[in-house]
Amino acid sequence: MSKLTLDGFFSYCKQIAEHIQLSERMASISGQGTPKLTSAVGNLYYDSILPYREDANMQTREFLARVVDVLLDFVQKVNDRNEKILEFKMPEEMQKLLDLELHDEPLPLKQLLEDCKATLKYQVKTGHPHFFNQLSCGLDVISLAGEWLTAAANTNMFTYEIAPVFILMENIVLEKMRNMIGWKTGDSILAPGGSVSNLYAFLAARHHKFPQYKEKGLTSIPGHLVMFTSDQCHYSVKSCASVCGLGTDYCVCVPSDERGRMIPAQLERLVRYHKDKGHVPFFVNATSGTTVLGAFDPLSEIADICEKYDMWMHVDAAWGGGLLFSKKYRHPRLTGIERADSVTWNPHKLMGTLLQCSTVHFKYEGILLSCNAMSAEYLFMTDKIYDPRFDTGDKVIQCGRHNDIFKLWLQWRGKGTSGFERLMDRLMELSEYMVRRIKEQPDKFYLILEPELVNVSFWYLPKQLRGIPHDANKEIRLGKVCAKLKGRMMQSGTLMVGYQPDDRRPNFFRNIISSAAVTEKDVDFLLSEMDRLGQDIVVE
Ligand code: ABU
C-alpha cells in the first residue's frame, strides 16, 4: 500500500469509529426498547430500498413502518400528561448532544431511524396539554393523518393536471369559508402563513384601486398611498408598507382603546389628516383577534369609514376567524366582516389544523388572477384539455405552492361544521374558566383585562410581591418575574406559557388555549404549577 492509501485507510477507520461512537450516543439518546429495524434491513443503505431497487418492497415497508412507529410513539407521548413538554438544553449543549453533521459517505437505515428518534426526543411537544405558548397549539390527529398523506402524495398545487383531487378540495373548502364570512361569490387562496396572506390582500387592494399599477408601476399612482391599521395589529401589516414601496411611515398606526380595539374616530381623524396633506388613503386593516390581547376591532364602524372615504377594508382574522363557526361567540366580535373586501383566516390557529394552513379571501371573483397572473406558458397553457381556470398557480406571486388543503379538508370531514363549532365554544369556555380561577386567587394572580378571545393576559405574584398595593413600580417588578418564571418553566419542562411587554405595560403572561387537548384540570395544573415554580422568586 502506498503512504497515501494507508492514510486514506486510517482516515476511513477513524470515520467508522467516530460513526459507531455517534451511533451509540444517538441510540442512547433515543432510548432503549423503542422501534428497531432487523439487522437485515438496518444495515442497508438508501440505494437498497425503493426507488433505487424495484425488488425492495419488503425492506422499504419495514423501514417506513419503523419510522411510523417512532411517530406513533411521539403522538402518544404528546398526549401523556406525565411526559415533559420539553427537554430544554442550551444551544451549545444541544449541539454537543446531537450528531447533526452531514458526511461524505452514506449512513445506514438504522442510523436514520435513530436520527428520527433523537430529533423528536428534543422537539418541544406543542400538542402537549400543558403547552399554552403559541397561537397554534395542539396536535389534531385527523389533520396529522392528512399531513402524512399530503407528504406521500408530494405534489405541487399550481396545476390541476398534477393535483386534481386537491384542487377540487380547495375549491370546496374555500367556497365554504367565503360563505361563512357572508359572501356568495369571490376568490380565495391558501398562502404560506398569515403575513403573506395579508400581503396578498394589500396587492389585490392596490390592483383593484389602480389596475394600471401592474404594468406601469409607481407612475400610475396619483400620490403617496397611505394604509391604516391599529397600534395592536400584527407586524406583517407594517411590513406590507415596506415591501410594497409605501415605506413604513405611510402605514399609520391608529390608537386603540384600553382593551386593544381600534378607535374608529381616531381612524377617521387620521384619514382626513392624510387626505388634507394630499396623500391617498386607500387601505385599512382591521384585526379580528390581535396577537397579544386577542382584541376585535369594531368592524361595522370601520366599514362605514372605508365606504365614506372609498378605502379597501381588509380584516386580519388570522387568529380570531375560527369564531365564525360559533353562534355563541361570533357576534358581536365579527359582526360586519361580510362588509370587508378581503379577509385573512388561518385554520392552523384556532381551528387546530396542522401547520401550516392559512387562507385569504376576496369579495371579488377573479381578482387574484387579474392581479397576479404572469401567464407563464410552460405551466399555464390555455389549450389544455380541461378548463384552465382549475390551474391555480397563476393566481399567486409564488410559483410552487404546498398542499395545505388536504389536512383541513379531512379534519372538516371528520369533525363536521358542528364539530368546529363545539371546539370554538369549548376553547372559549375554558378561557372563561381560567379567568374565573385567576380571579379566585387574587393574592397569586392579577388579571390584566377581560379577554374577548382565548388570550388570557395576567401577572403572577410571587410571595415577595403579595399584599402590597398595585402600582406602576409593582408592574415593573411583576414584569421581571415573567422572565424568571418562564426560565424555570423551560428548565423544569412541565409548562410553557408565553410572555411579552406591550406599549402600555412591562412583561406580562399571555396564555393561549387553542388546543383541543386542554381540560379544566390542565388549567388548574397551569396555575398551580406556576405557583410551585415561582413562589420564591425575588426581584429588585
Ligand atoms: N402571528 C404568528 C403567531 C404568533 C404566536 O404564536 O404568538
Side-chain angles (χ1 to χ4, degrees), residues 133-136 234 291 349 510:
N133 206 69
Q134 300 309 140
L135 304 188
S136 303
H234 190 257
T291 308
K349 292 196 165 99
R510 177 207 67 169

Side-chain angles (χ1 to χ4, degrees), residues 486-510:
K486 178 64 183 272
R488 291 185 181 189
M489 288 182 207
M490 304 272 294
Q491 300 284 1
S492 75
T494 50
L495 183 66
M496 281 185 78
V497 182
Y499 74 89
Q500 67 291 294
D502 69 7
D503 51 358
R504 295 166 203 192
R505 46 188 84 80
N507 285 337
F508 58 98
F509 284 109
R510 177 207 67 169

Side-chain angles (χ1 to χ4, degrees), residues 39 61 63 75 105 119 131 184 193 215 242 249 256-257 295 315 324 342 344 368 377 388 400 405 411 429 484 499 540:
S39 58
R61 287 184 83 98
F63 173 62
V75 172
E105 298 305 318
T119 302
F131 178 85
K184 289 202 165 49
E215 286 84 23
S242 161
D249 287 354
S256 56
D257 66 15
V315 177
L324 287 166
S342 54
T344 290
L368 282 165
E377 282 173 356
I405 198 63
Q411 187 193 18
E429 282 156 17
K484 287 197 174 200
Y499 74 89
E540 301 258 304

Side-chain angles (χ1 to χ4, degrees), residues 470-531:
H470 190 94
D471 58 17
N473 181 48
K474 185 170 173 183
E475 288 191 358
I476 293 170
R477 298 172 79 192
L478 289 171
K480 291 179 186 165
V481 171
C482 294
K484 287 197 174 200
L485 180 47
K486 178 64 183 272
R488 291 185 181 189
M489 288 182 207
M490 304 272 294
Q491 300 284 1
S492 75
T494 50
L495 183 66
M496 281 185 78
V497 182
Y499 74 89
Q500 67 291 294
D502 69 7
D503 51 358
R504 295 166 203 192
R505 46 188 84 80
N507 285 337
F508 58 98
F509 284 109
R510 177 207 67 169
N511 191 76
I512 299 294
I513 302 181
S514 65
S515 164
V518 177
T519 65
E520 282 80 359
K521 278 192 177 151
D522 297 312
V523 173
D524 289 339
F525 170 84
L526 147 69
L527 297 176
S528 64
E529 184 69 356
M530 284 183 99
D531 191 36

Side-chain angles (χ1 to χ4, degrees), residues 113-167:
L113 187 69
E114 295 307 319
D115 290 347
C116 292
K117 292 182 206 169
T119 302
L120 286 178
K121 180 175 166 74
Y122 290 108
Q123 170 50 31
V124 176
K125 297 182 187 72
T126 58
H128 193 289
H130 301 155
F131 178 85
F132 302 92
N133 206 69
Q134 300 309 140
L135 304 188
S136 303
C137 303
L139 186 61
D140 185 287
V141 165
I142 303 220
S143 190
L144 174 66
E147 187 71 353
W148 286 349
L149 184 145
T150 297
N154 191 33
T155 198
N156 199 312
M157 292 298 283
F158 45 40
T159 60
Y160 177 85
E161 70 184 76
I162 61 163
V165 184
F166 301 125
I167 293 280

